[in-house]
């Protein structure tokens, strides 16, 4: 009965959003935001993405040693992964799609395309591979909704997006697939808002140079394989995993004016979006070694790298003694309400 009630509330919220010109919705619990766009069949183009093609006799072995997931997963359609520095820090998150004849597409944020080309070229050495930029020939889409798992994309690179429940299907192709004909097209900004509310990091705003792959939740999003052989940046990643302690992680957050209070209303909207002067999230009422850092944003929602213990304390407190703030360009401060996604594994 409880699950039925939750699903009924989510469907009602989703219908309300579809009727509104602006995407505005208010919920009772922060985790309800994760589901508000799940009940309707929709698709959107994903902006600011570049696609590199790696082909040749040694392409699979070459990529196996360059990133932190197992290439076997790419042959189930595609996979999420991360490319790391030798010190184990994030250079870029990526999707890798397997093509016929020992070829692969590597989808990355446009802002890291040149870096990725240089890095792949640097490590190529004598490997029999060719690396080319095919971004002008490819478009990236995300499709979601109850019918998305049943769509057929013959001859088109695609993969089930397993980063979070009900994320849908990721598609890379030269033109819009016919399978989208019965789905409603949405702007790319709705895709961004949806992934942010689910707590899914993506692109250069979230995967910054100083971050560790586990801080960006690559392990939770099935983007790291801990049993594979050697790869660039492996040592720190494996050591962090076996220690079992990741103190900071990327979490979804909600921004609200200070005069609206810390927790009410729980509303996401594109009617108001703070213009942040800095990306720092400052905890009040708690001593933090470092402030949090805001990544990608959409409307008054965003993602931020924060200490997990502080987010847990924020969620369980009853007196609002601990809260978080960020500074806007006009000098005003906004409240930052974080939460731990419900799909995270229980510790």
């Amino acid at each position: 009965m409880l699950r039925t009630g939750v699903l009924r509330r989510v469907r009602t919220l989703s219908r309300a959003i579809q009727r509104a010109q602006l995407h505005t919705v208010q919920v009772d619990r922060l985790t309800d935001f994760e589901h508000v766009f799940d009940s309707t069949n929709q698709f959107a183009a994903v902006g600011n993405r570049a696609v590199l093609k790696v082909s040749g006799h040694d392409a699979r072995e070459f990529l196996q040693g360059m990133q932190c997931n197992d290439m076997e997963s790419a042959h189930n359609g595609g996979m999420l992964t991360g490319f790391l520095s030798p010190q184990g820090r994030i250079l870029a998150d990526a999707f890798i799609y397997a093509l016929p004849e020992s070829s692969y597409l590597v989808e990355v944020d446009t802002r890291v395309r040149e870096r990725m080309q240089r890095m792949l070229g640097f490590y190529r050495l004598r490997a029999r591979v060719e690396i080319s930029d095919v971004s002008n020939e490819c478009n990236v889409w995300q499709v979601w909704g109850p019918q998305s798992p049943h769509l057929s994309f013959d001859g088109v690179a695609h993969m089930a997006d397993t980063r979070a429940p009900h994320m849908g299907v990721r598609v890379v192709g030269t033109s819009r697939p016919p399978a989208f004909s019965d789905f409603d097209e949405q702007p790319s900004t709705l895709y961004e808002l949806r992934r942010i509310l689910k707590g899914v990091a993506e692109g250069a705003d979230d995967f910054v140079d100083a971050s560790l792959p586990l801080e960006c939740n690559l392990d939770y999003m099935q983007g790291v394989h801990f049993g594979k052989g050697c790869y660039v940046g492996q040592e720190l990643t494996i050591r962090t995993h076996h220690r079992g302690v990741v103190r900071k992680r990327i979490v979804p957050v909600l921004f609200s004016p200070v005069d609206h209070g810390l927790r009410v209303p729980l509303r996401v909207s594109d009617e108001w979006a703070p213009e942040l002067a800095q990306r720092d999230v400052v905890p009040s009422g708690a001593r933090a070694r470092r402030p949090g850092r805001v990544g990608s944003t959409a409307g008054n929602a965003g993602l931020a790298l924060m200490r997990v213990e502080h987010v847990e304390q924020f969620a369980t407190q009853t007196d609002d003694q601990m809260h978080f703030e960020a500074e806007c360009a006009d000098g005003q401060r906004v409240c930052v309400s974080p939460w731990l996604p419900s799909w995270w594994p229980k510790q």
Side-chain angles (χ1 to χ4, degrees):
M1 292 297 292
L2 178 61
R3 178 178 174 82
T4 301
V6 170
L7 290 174
R8 185 181 298 114
R9 182 167 70 252
V10 168
R11 292 191 184 101
T12 301
L13 291 172
S14 184
R15 286 194 293 269
I17 290 173
Q18 297 307 311
R19 289 195 297 268
Q21 291 295 320
L22 295 171
H23 299 115
T24 303
V25 64
Q26 185 169 314
V27 300
D28 298 324
R29 298 173 302 181
L30 285 166
T31 52
D32 287 343
F33 282 128
E34 300 171 20
H35 313 292
V36 294
F37 299 106
D38 289 350
S39 62
T40 52
N41 294 315
Q42 300 176 329
F43 76 95
V46 183
N48 300 316
R49 305 299 289 177
V51 182
L52 306 178
K53 185 176 182 181
V54 180
S55 58
H57 183 272
D58 297 334
R60 175 171 174 164
E61 181 180 357
F62 172 70
L63 288 173
Q64 179 76 344
M66 291 299 303
Q67 45 76 40
C68 60
N69 211 340
D70 191 343
M71 288 298 293
E72 185 65 30
S73 300
H75 287 265
N76 295 322
M79 68 180 191
L80 172 69
T81 189
F83 288 84
L84 313 180
S85 71
Q87 295 75 32
R89 303 288 176 171
I90 280 287
L91 295 178
D93 62 313
F95 294 94
I96 297 181
Y97 308 83
L99 301 177
E101 300 179 358
S102 300
S103 297
Y104 300 88
L105 297 181
V106 181
E107 177 206 332
V108 297
D109 189 304
T110 301
R111 291 167 288 183
V112 301
R113 169 174 44 192
E114 293 184 2
R115 172 194 288 179
M116 286 292 299
Q117 286 181 291
R118 289 195 303 268
M119 184 191 70
L120 293 174
F122 176 80
Y123 282 104
R124 180 173 56 180
L125 301 177
R126 297 183 179 180
R128 289 173 289 180
V129 298
E130 296 294 331
I131 302 165
S132 57
D133 184 355
V134 295
S135 302
N136 292 335
E137 305 169 21
C138 296
N139 297 292
V140 180
W141 293 276
Q142 190 85 10
V143 57
W144 64 88
Q147 298 304 313
S148 61
H150 310 297
L151 294 177
S152 176
F153 296 101
D154 293 338
V156 178
H158 67 283
M159 59 167 280
D161 190 340
T162 58
R163 292 178 293 177
H166 309 296
M167 275 299 292
V169 180
R170 194 89 165 184
V171 183
V172 177
T174 56
S175 58
R176 181 187 301 178
F180 289 172
S181 59
D182 294 329
F183 283 60
D184 297 327
E185 184 173 9
Q186 298 295 333
S188 59
T189 51
L190 181 60
Y191 162 73
E192 294 293 332
L193 176 61
R194 182 173 182 267
R195 74 162 180 84
I196 286 172
L197 291 175
K198 286 182 176 290
V200 173
E202 180 180 297
D205 288 331
D206 298 321
F207 289 82
V208 297
D209 291 351
S211 298
L212 301 176
L214 305 195
E215 291 178 341
C216 301
N217 305 324
L218 267 182
D219 53 339
Y220 288 176
M221 297 190 297
Q222 303 182 48
V224 183
H225 193 285
F226 295 107
K228 65 174 285 186
C230 296
Y231 57 90
V232 178
Q234 178 190 34
E235 182 178 354
L236 180 58
T237 304
I238 295 299
R239 187 165 69 243
T240 304
H241 170 65
H242 286 299
R243 284 179 176 173
V245 178
V246 182
R247 302 190 185 281
K248 297 183 294 181
R249 284 189 180 270
I250 290 178
V251 298
V253 300
L254 196 67
F255 304 105
S256 60
V258 172
D259 57 3
H260 283 197
L262 298 179
R263 299 172 183 271
V264 180
L266 298 178
R267 177 188 300 166
V268 64
S269 172
D270 57 6
E271 293 178 296
W272 176 80
E275 184 180 348
L276 299 179
Q278 302 182 44
R279 291 285 172 171
D280 290 343
V281 177
V282 181
S284 300
R287 293 183 178 180
R289 295 180 182 176
R290 295 180 182 177
R293 182 191 180 279
V294 176
S296 55
T297 60
N300 68 318
L303 295 175
L305 180 65
M306 300 183 65
R307 291 182 71 85
V308 175
E309 62 177 319
H310 291 158
V311 180
E312 292 174 336
Q313 292 172 18
F314 176 84
T316 57
Q317 68 178 341
T318 58
D319 55 4
D320 287 338
Q321 182 178 1
M322 171 185 284
H323 64 277
F324 304 94
E325 296 180 349
E327 184 177 350
C328 294
D330 59 4
Q332 299 295 314
R333 304 193 74 81
V334 293
C335 288
V336 180
S337 299
W339 73 94
L340 301 182
S342 62
W343 53 268
W344 279 15
K346 304 301 180 185
Q347 299 299 318

